[in-house]
Amino acid sequence: MKNVTKLLVAFIVFCMLAFTCANQNNVPKIVKEAFAKKFPNVKEAHWDKESETEWEAEFKMNKVEYSANFSNEGVWLETEHEIKTKDLPKNIIDVLKSQFLEYDIEDVEISETSKGVFYEFEIEKDETKMEVVLDMDGKILKKALIEENEEEND
């Protein structure tokens, strides 16, 4: 029985590695070129197919973990990286305290798109989880409940 378990585990690991390698090799050349142009100092990235029309690269820059999304045509869509709550500016903290006082901050990311730079928060109060997006001035751009099945897909 132990041998069967070991073989099964080895097979699963092999399949995961094969899938990862396949994703790395299937990234369209135009997407990799767009990534290299946008991030010329990044030498290594891990690629995943985000959807039928989108690719995501995960990489480190200045010791910070980033992700960047590109369309199949090589159009840059978004770059994100996590930040610590203590690194948020006072105006953003003030908005969170006034609008979401009873919520705990679970995750904070800075998201850059062609429309600008934004703070994205995942906040929680009891069993309620929300995604909140603020612009750099503290204006609330999005407030949405996070369903449990959405979380499992992330």
Side-chain angles (χ1 to χ4, degrees):
M1 188 68 172
K2 283 184 179 181
N3 287 338
V4 172
T5 303
K6 286 180 182 179
L7 282 173
L8 183 59
V9 169
F11 178 74
I12 290 170
V13 169
F14 173 77
C15 289
M16 290 172 52
L17 287 173
F19 179 75
T20 300
C21 290
N23 267 349
Q24 296 292 322
N25 294 330
N26 290 334
V27 179
K29 183 179 178 184
I30 195 168
V31 173
K32 286 186 175 183
E33 289 171 349
F35 176 83
K37 186 175 181 181
K38 179 86 174 156
F39 304 101
N41 296 325
V42 176
K43 303 300 179 212
E44 188 176 320
H46 172 79
W47 290 93
D48 282 314
K49 184 99 170 132
E50 188 79 356
S51 70
E52 286 299 313
T53 60
E54 195 171 320
W55 289 89
E56 181 180 61
E58 294 178 348
F59 56 97
K60 280 192 177 182
M61 214 167 38
N62 302 322
K63 298 182 182 178
V64 176
E65 291 189 27
Y66 283 80
S67 67
N69 293 52
F70 292 83
S71 72
N72 286 339
E73 295 78 30
V75 176
W76 169 76
L77 303 170
E78 176 182 42
T79 302
E80 295 180 325
H81 71 279
E82 287 190 21
I83 65 169
K84 293 180 174 32
T85 304
K86 69 178 182 70
D87 295 332
L88 290 168
K90 184 183 181 325
N91 68 317
I92 301 300
I93 295 286
D94 290 346
V95 170
L96 291 171
K97 285 182 179 177
S98 69
Q99 299 294 315
F100 306 99
L101 181 62
E102 297 180 6
Y103 285 81
D104 293 323
I105 299 172
E106 298 297 313
D107 290 311
V108 183
E109 291 182 333
I110 291 182
S111 172
E112 179 185 355
T113 70
S114 61
K115 295 179 182 176
V117 180
F118 310 97
Y119 291 100
E120 293 183 354
F121 297 90
E122 185 177 306
I123 59 176
E124 183 175 9
K125 176 181 142 187
D126 301 323
E127 298 297 314
T128 304
K129 291 186 178 192
M130 290 181 64
E131 178 185 9
V132 177
V133 178
L134 304 178
D135 68 12
M136 299 307 268
D137 295 324
K139 179 181 176 188
I140 299 172
L141 302 176
K142 178 181 177 182
K143 231 178 7 179
L145 289 175
I146 298 173
E147 302 295 327
E148 280 189 41
N149 60 352
E150 284 181 48
E151 243 178 53
E152 292 169 5
N153 292 333
D154 284 346

